[in-house]
Amino acid sequence: MRRTPHALLAATAALAAAVVAPSPPAGAAAAAPASAAYYLQSATTGLNAADIQGAVEQRRPKGDEDRQQWNLRPSGSSYVLESTDATGTCLGRSGDRARTVACASADAAWDITATGADDRYTLKVPGTDRHLTLAPKPPGANYPAQLAIGAPGALASWYLTPVTPATGPMPPEDRRTLDQVTFLTAHNAYANGVDGGFAPPFVNLVPNQSRGITQQLADGVRGFMLDIHQTPDGAILCHNSCTLVGRPVALWVDLQRIVDFLKTRPDQFVTVFLEDYVDPGVLRAELARVNGLDDVLYRPDRTGVRENGWPRLADLIAADDRLLIFTDHSRSADQSAGLTRDTFGVMYQREWTVENHWSMGPGIGSSDWSCYSRWYDANTNIPLTRTEPGFRPLFVMNHFRDVPITATVRTDNAKLADRARRFCLPAARKKPNFLAVDHYDLGDTGSAVNALNSHTYP
């Protein structure tokens, strides 16, 4: 795997670099972007067009690997997209399939037109009504990898995402909206071996964190990922199951720690993510045990966020709306049970966030830095690039492996800013709002958070 050495100053400078390129030629397809290096991303899946030995397929976004970067430049009254990995080779077509071809070939030319919807484009074969598109999705499967040449429509909608994006300065603290801010987030924050047991004895030997919730708060952690399971005692924090777990911690205990912290720090905002295996009635009863929860609970569903975007963080703090709780549970399952979690203030994560796949691989050995949606499979399609009119979901960036081996975590966390910049930010077309890591105290994760909080990504 090719990786550039992690250097915070270099990463920050690259993030701040603006794309400067010549304007498109007179007579070219209207509103095409400037000449530069781009990722060509499906607006349907969020996956990138990649040159795979001559075939052009949609693949998981992978930065400067996997032949996914294309230099856009004018060619007569049209455009070509030349591979950055193979000079003279361009994205083109052969029959009804996308292929790489010689850039001088007529089959490499495209009319590129903005659709007027959220920075999306179409790529059309000149003089025809044939477009670069996804093949239709077979029942019970993902969209095929091979890109096609076919009819216009939703599947023929693409983002041209700059490899080196233009960025802006971070607004003053009293002007920053919630979606402009990045928070350090502890993956499996409860699995720390300090506050209590979290797994059967053998698994208990490999905690995801080495400090308790109270210390995590003191150290600047502002996002907490918690797994909850149902027992006769209520919602308990355990990994996979609570069977054989000694001294498990109840959810309300850790939430009380967070609420108590917020009471002493009225300038702070915290988000909780629940990996949620309990009935909604059990969760409601658990939350009712937390003293002062209603005083700080933030309800974006009641404040017009879907229509108007995320509010300023300073306004949330002034209103004492400072604790946001998400569940990964299904709304449809709760509707079948007759009680939805948002009626008592727990938001459905898939409605308010996007999130990349949760694992970079096993605890040792090589890792997979590709950044693609956690919610992309045969039954669910929520691309990292998802946006809605007036609303951009918050982006949860997972950066951890299956097993938190300390030496590996230290190395991975040292590369957190680099992965965010080169892989995940362009994959989502937005800045990560939550950097979720194991052992947040290793690898200088705070510097990665500070680097992202130094700029905006429009």
Side-chain angles (χ1 to χ4, degrees):
M1 174 176 188
R2 298 200 317 257
R3 295 181 183 167
T4 59
H6 171 63
L8 179 59
L9 293 177
T12 305
L15 275 164
V19 175
V20 179
S23 300
S35 298
Y38 293 92
Y39 301 102
L40 183 64
Q41 292 175 279
S42 166
T44 300
T45 64
L47 303 183
N48 287 351
D51 173 13
I52 308 301
Q53 297 181 332
V56 180
E57 299 181 355
Q58 58 167 347
R59 301 288 285 264
R60 297 169 178 173
K62 207 167 184 180
D64 57 355
E65 303 174 6
D66 202 38
R67 301 169 72 98
Q68 296 182 5
Q69 296 181 357
W70 306 89
N71 281 317
L72 173 70
R73 56 181 173 80
S75 179
S77 60
S78 298
Y79 290 84
V80 294
L81 285 157
E82 183 178 24
S83 170
T84 62
D85 293 286
T87 302
T89 299
C90 282
L91 187 152
R93 58 218 168 246
S94 176
D96 62 357
R97 289 176 172 261
R99 302 283 300 178
T100 51
V101 298
C103 292
S105 167
D107 287 327
W110 300 97
D111 290 341
I112 300 178
T113 307
T115 65
D118 187 33
D119 196 29
R120 301 182 188 188
Y121 295 86
T122 59
L123 279 71
K124 185 174 74 71
V125 178
T128 75
D129 199 29
R130 301 172 69 229
H131 291 70
L132 181 69
T133 185
L134 303 183
K137 181 179 181 295
N142 293 334
Y143 289 96
Q146 172 70 56
L147 298 185
I149 310 300
L155 299 184
S157 182
W158 301 90
Y159 292 114
L160 282 161
T161 300
V163 170
T164 304
T167 62
M170 196 70 167
E173 288 192 12
D174 62 343
R175 306 293 299 175
R176 299 173 183 178
T177 56
L178 184 62
D179 57 327
Q180 291 177 321
V181 181
T182 299
F183 300 95
L184 180 60
T185 300
H187 169 239
N188 286 354
Y190 67 95
N192 53 60
V194 176
D195 295 327
F198 59 88
F202 179 74
V203 180
N204 222 47
L205 297 174
V206 191
N208 296 91
Q209 307 297 336
S210 56
R211 300 175 181 178
I213 295 293
T214 299
Q215 187 62 49
Q216 292 177 34
L217 286 161
D219 291 344
V221 175
R222 294 295 179 265
F224 297 84
M225 293 182 168
L226 307 174
D227 295 6
I228 53 173
H229 293 265
Q230 190 165 319
T231 75
D233 296 321
I236 305 299
L237 296 163
C238 303
H239 189 65
N240 293 332
S241 128
C242 293
T243 303
L244 302 178
V245 177
R247 299 187 308 111
V249 178
L251 172 64
W252 77 267
V253 172
D254 274 353
L255 288 181
Q256 190 68 66
R257 290 182 172 117
I258 292 171
V259 170
D260 290 346
F261 169 82
L262 290 172
K263 293 293 186 181
T264 64
R265 293 290 305 274
D267 60 337
Q268 296 300 303
F269 186 93
V270 170
T271 305
V272 171
F273 301 89
L274 300 178
E275 187 172 317
D276 191 343
Y277 301 99
V278 307
D279 293 334
V282 171
L283 181 56
R284 181 175 60 180
E286 193 77 10
L287 298 186
R289 302 178 68 180
V290 182
N291 294 325
L293 176 63
D294 288 342
D295 297 337
V296 295
L297 190 61
Y298 173 40
R299 297 291 304 269
D301 56 329
R302 294 182 174 178
T303 54
V305 171
R306 301 300 288 241
E307 297 76 27
N308 304 313
W310 295 98
R312 292 181 296 191
L313 185 58
D315 292 339
L316 291 173
I317 289 171
D320 218 13
D321 294 335
R322 297 187 294 119
L323 177 58
L324 178 57
I325 303 179
F326 290 115
T327 175
D328 70 349
H329 208 81
S330 161
R331 173 185 286 276
S332 59
D334 284 350
Q335 288 172 331
S336 300
L339 176 64
T340 59
R341 290 163 211 251
D342 54 1
T343 59
F344 51 87
V346 177
M347 302 295 102
Y348 291 98
Q349 191 176 342
R350 274 171 270 196
E351 298 176 2
W352 298 96
T353 74
V354 293
E355 179 176 340
N356 65 309
H357 181 64
W358 59 270
S359 173
M360 295 191 296
I364 57 175
S366 60
S367 61
D368 180 2
W369 276 23
S370 62
C371 223
Y372 61 101
S373 177
R374 171 186 177 185
W375 298 310
Y376 177 63
D377 56 37
N379 301 310
T380 309
N381 180 31
I382 303 177
L384 291 182
T385 54
R386 179 178 64 127
T387 58
E388 300 171 17
F391 172 71
R392 288 166 60 91
L394 301 176
F395 175 25
V396 181
M397 178 184 154
N398 294 313
H399 185 79
F400 48 84
R401 304 201 190 198
D402 298 355
V403 181
I405 304 300
T406 302
T408 305
V409 170
R410 181 179 286 106
T411 299
D412 287 344
N413 285 354
K415 299 172 181 176
L416 176 59
D418 189 40
R419 185 180 181 222
R421 174 179 63 88
R422 292 195 298 125
F423 288 70
C424 291
L425 188 149
R429 294 174 52 83
K430 58 177 72 76
K431 196 170 73 169
N433 301 108
F434 302 94
L435 293 180
V437 297
D438 287 329
H439 294 292
Y440 70 89
D441 52 309
L442 302 178
D444 198 16
T445 55
S447 291
V449 173
N450 291 338
L452 286 166
N453 279 328
S454 70
H455 70 277
T456 59
Y457 181 78

